[in-house]
């Protein structure tokens, strides 16, 4: 069969409030043209993020009822620990309330002034936690990642030559660990090949440095490896996942992505001494080692979600539905980052609205127009998000797809709406900032239309 269907039926529904363009126009003005300021009820299709916005399965909800809320040694913790150990092979499995808590604990221990942390692309919270420790975050993604039209299969890879020259430039002593983000969220949701992880591992071995994965989308990345990497097509996704983790010394994970839950995170480690330190910080700031800031029921949901995300019919549907959105937008003349990523489609706003210069925020203008026209909420990833420090390489609008949440007709509606806004693109107007905070401005900045 050619059509890949959603491999689930719907058991519980949540109504969407249908709004009018007049209502949305007013809501947008009140929000200062910042889509983070909107009430979610004023949104028809919410593609702001795929983080914690997915639907849980009947088995996960059953786990929620079975949750053991004992303070220490809860049954739910052991189920969580054993499931994660079986999938990842790590010796030390620490639950945290979300990915950034794992990052904060890791960099409190391994970061610090004078240190330099390489990554393909640091996600914004990862960068913030590296820098908060006093260390410097350096992005070493391959150059093809910066070309939206290049359809290379693994545009999330680290450039090994750049990694080697960083070691030469700053000295191995300054580098506490090497990190790889799979898939590369800030770089268009593009995957990293198994070969690239092996090549980075070899550099780490040469300099005796640990390799960490920022593994929020480990299953999506493994599925891309199976689909695209030579010699990997006959393997199970689970075995590829295991090999990815076997190559690493540790991982930080937000379970709000491939954990298929609404809240939760993990810090995975091999080294006993680092794990002992991490447990102390965990107890001080998150909670006891058998719950780490989560309820017992949350641990049940993560244990079940980590298993479900490896079902290959789920992953085939997941990757195909993102691709379906991307290919239809491309066919309609909208430039996206090619090829489509795993969890999101990124529109090239410079191509969409070439008459709006970066300092007038073309991505924000496109995102606001999509909301006004059809109630779709997307996320600007360009000069609003990153321009406070230095102008970014690209002006993007990210349409992130929540897991198991929207059907094909919702996506058809999004395609139609984006193409209509695109047809009327000459009428898009730039934006001017009227109010902004000193850091991470995208969350609270206010604009007016020019
Ligand atoms: C979401 C995300 C994080 C942070 O996780 P939170 O659960 O939001 O704290 C870190 N890295 C990447 C790549 C992410 O996508």
């Amino acid at each position: 069969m050619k059509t890949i269907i959603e491999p689930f039926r719907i058991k519980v529904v949540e109504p969407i409030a249908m709004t009018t363009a007049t209502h949305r126009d007013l809501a947008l003005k009140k929000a200062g043209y910042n889509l983070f300021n909107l009430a979610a009820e004023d949104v028809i299709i919410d593609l702001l993020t795929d983080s914690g916005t997915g639907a849980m399965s009947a088995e996960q909800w059953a786990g929620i009822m079975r949750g053991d809320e004992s303070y220490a040694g809860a049954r739910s913790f052991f189920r969580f620990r054993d499931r994660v150990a079986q999938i990842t092979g790590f010796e030390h499995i620490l639950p945290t309330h979300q990915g950034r808590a794992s990052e904060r604990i890791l960099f409190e221990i391994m970061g610090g002034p004078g240190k330099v942390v390489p990554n393909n692309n640091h996600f914004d919270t990862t960068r913030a936690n590296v820098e908060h420790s006093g260390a410097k975050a350096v992005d070493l993604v391959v150059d093809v990642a910066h070309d939206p039209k290049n359809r290379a299969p693994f545009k999330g890879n680290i450039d090994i030559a750049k990694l080697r020259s960083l070691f030469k430039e700053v000295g191995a002593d300054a580098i506490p660990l090497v990190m790889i983000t799979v898939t590369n969220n800030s770089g268009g949701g593009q995957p990293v090949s198994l070969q690239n992880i092996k090549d980075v591992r070899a550099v780490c071995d040469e300099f005796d440095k640990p390799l960490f994965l920022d593994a929020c989308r480990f299953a999506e990345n493994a599925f891309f490896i199976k689909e695209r990497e030579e010699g990997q097509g006959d393997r199970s996704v689970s075995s590829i996942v295991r090999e990815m983790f076997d190559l690493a010394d540790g991982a930080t994970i937000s379970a709000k992505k491939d954990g298929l839950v609404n809240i939760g995170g993990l810090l995975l480690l091999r080294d006993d001494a680092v794990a002992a330190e991490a447990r102390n910080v965990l107890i001080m700031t998150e909670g006891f080692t058998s719950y780490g800031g989560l309820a017992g029921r949350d641990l049940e949901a993560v244990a079940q979600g980590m298993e479900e995300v490896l079902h290959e019919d789920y992953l085939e549907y997941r990757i195909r539905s993102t691709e379906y959105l991307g290919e239809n937008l491309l066919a309609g003349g909208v430039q996206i980052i090619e090829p489509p990523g795993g969890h999101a489609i990124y529109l090239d706003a410079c191509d969409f609205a070439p008459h709006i210069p970066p300092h007038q925020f073309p991505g924000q203008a496109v995102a606001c127009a999509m909301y006004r026209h059809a109630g779709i909420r997307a996320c600007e990833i360009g000069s609003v998000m990153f321009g406070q420090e230095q102008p970014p390489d690209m002006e993007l609008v990210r349409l992130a797809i929540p897991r198991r949440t929207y059907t094909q007709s919702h996506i058809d509606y999004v395609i139609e709406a984006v193409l209509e806004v695109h047809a009327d693109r000459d009428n898009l107007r730039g934006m001017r900032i009227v109010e902004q905070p000193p850091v991470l401005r995208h969350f609270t900045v206010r604009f007016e239309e020019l």
Side-chain angles (χ1 to χ4, degrees), residues 98-100 103 123 125 181 185 214 216-217 254 256-257:
Q98 60 185 91
R100 69 196 68 184
E103 293 165 356
F123 181 66
T125 61
T181 306
N185 188 3
D214 178 345
C216 297
R217 299 178 182 81
S254 168
K256 301 170 71 169
K257 286 69 175 250

Side-chain angles (χ1 to χ4, degrees), residues 50-51 97-101 103 121-126 181-186 214-217 252-257 263-265 343 398:
D50 66 319
S51 178
H97 83 278
Q98 60 185 91
R100 69 196 68 184
E103 293 165 356
N121 283 115
H122 287 84
F123 181 66
D124 57 0
T125 61
T126 322
T181 306
V182 297
T183 57
N184 190 19
N185 188 3
S186 305
D214 178 345
C216 297
R217 299 178 182 81
T252 56
I253 299 183
S254 168
K256 301 170 71 169
K257 286 69 175 250
I263 195 73
H343 68 291
R398 185 184 72 178

Side-chain angles (χ1 to χ4, degrees), residues 364-375:
Q364 193 67 20
V366 172
C368 286
M370 279 167 41
Y371 174 70
R372 190 190 274 127
H373 185 62

Side-chain angles (χ1 to χ4, degrees), residues 87-157:
I87 293 170
T88 66
F90 280 102
E91 284 78 1
H92 301 286
I93 293 162
L94 284 65
T96 60
H97 83 278
Q98 60 185 91
R100 69 196 68 184
S102 307
E103 293 165 356
R104 180 183 50 76
I105 293 169
L106 179 66
F107 291 110
E108 186 169 330
I109 298 168
M110 315 234 345
K115 301 270 172 64
V116 177
V117 178
N119 201 327
N120 42 1
N121 283 115
H122 287 84
F123 181 66
D124 57 0
T125 61
T126 322
R127 173 174 292 275
N129 275 295
V130 168
E131 289 174 352
H132 185 70
S133 81
K136 196 175 154 205
V138 180
D139 290 345
L140 303 176
V141 74
V142 288
D143 286 337
V144 287
H146 305 301
D147 174 7
K149 291 189 173 128
N150 188 308
R151 292 187 75 100
F154 292 104
K155 288 168 84 176
N157 283 356

Side-chain angles (χ1 to χ4, degrees), residues 269-289:
L269 298 162
R270 278 194 217 290
D271 186 88
D272 295 340
V274 175
E277 258 188 276
R279 287 201 169 89
N280 289 335
V281 182
L282 183 77
I283 291 172
M284 200 160 60
T285 58
E286 286 278 295
F288 188 60
T289 55

